[in-house]
Amino acid sequence: MKRHHSILPGLILVIFSIGYDYANTGSVYANTSAFNYDKCIKKADINIEIIKCNEKNTIYWDKKLNQYYKILMSKLDSGQKDILQKSQRRWIKYRDQEILNVKSIYSKLQGTMTRPWASYRIANMTKLRAEDLKHFIKLLEEN
């Protein structure tokens, strides 16, 4: 007999963690028209709404990633710019492959929360890369 484990408790924890992380990532480069993920998730009543929040969150973090990338590039010499550019291109290839991997694995799982969870994973990849670039900017500014 196949056992099914509910991922709902874990997803709820992740959603609250996301809201906490989002609220505490205050940036000196803050955008006043920033997407409010926490507010979106609280309004989401069905899975498709959760997925839409995650998709909007991916778009938000992709914009932040591009913003941080441009700021970081402006602070580097030509050799460092070349290294960052190559790194970013490799990360994009990794991200695209990982999206395929996430979709492939989650498509094999059963349960109503697998699609929202997969969409969260995709959004989080972009957020983590944006935060990495933001960290490099802060390091350079502190020096």
Side-chain angles (χ1 to χ4, degrees):
M1 177 183 239
K2 194 174 185 179
R3 288 181 66 185
H4 298 282
H5 298 282
S6 173
I7 63 170
L8 186 57
L11 183 61
I12 290 169
L13 178 62
V14 168
I15 289 169
F16 285 112
S17 296
I18 294 166
Y20 176 80
D21 288 346
Y22 181 82
N24 290 295
T25 56
S27 170
V28 294
Y29 311 107
N31 179 353
T32 56
S33 63
F35 169 66
N36 189 329
Y37 182 79
D38 193 40
K39 186 176 180 180
C40 185
I41 282 294
K42 285 179 181 176
K43 288 183 181 179
D45 291 328
I46 58 176
N47 287 353
I48 194 68
E49 292 172 355
I50 295 170
I51 292 167
K52 286 180 182 179
C53 289
N54 288 331
E55 289 170 349
K56 288 177 184 177
N57 202 30
T58 300
I59 292 166
Y60 169 79
W61 282 108
D62 189 57
K63 287 178 183 176
K64 296 304 280 183
L65 178 112
N66 290 325
Q67 178 186 5
Y68 296 149
Y69 178 81
K70 289 175 185 174
I71 293 168
L72 184 56
M73 285 293 275
S74 73
K75 297 182 177 300
L76 302 176
D77 64 38
S78 63
Q80 293 169 318
K81 286 179 183 181
D82 184 54
I83 292 169
L84 176 59
Q85 186 179 52
K86 287 176 183 174
S87 173
Q88 189 65 10
R89 286 179 180 163
R90 287 184 181 126
W91 179 83
I92 290 168
K93 287 180 183 178
Y94 161 78
R95 179 207 58 201
D96 292 348
Q97 193 61 45
E98 188 63 13
I99 287 171
L100 294 175
N101 182 45
V102 166
K103 287 180 177 180
S104 171
I105 290 171
Y106 280 92
S107 72
K108 300 291 182 190
L109 301 176
Q110 296 180 1
T112 59
M113 294 305 294
T114 56
R115 287 189 59 222
W117 183 248
S119 65
Y120 162 75
R121 294 282 313 246
I122 292 166
N124 198 47
M125 280 189 294
T126 305
K127 176 185 176 187
L128 292 174
R129 179 62 177 176
E131 289 177 341
D132 284 345
L133 297 182
K134 177 182 169 184
H135 173 73
F136 292 141
I137 293 166
K138 285 184 178 184
L139 286 175
L140 292 172
E141 289 176 344
E142 290 171 0
N143 239 347

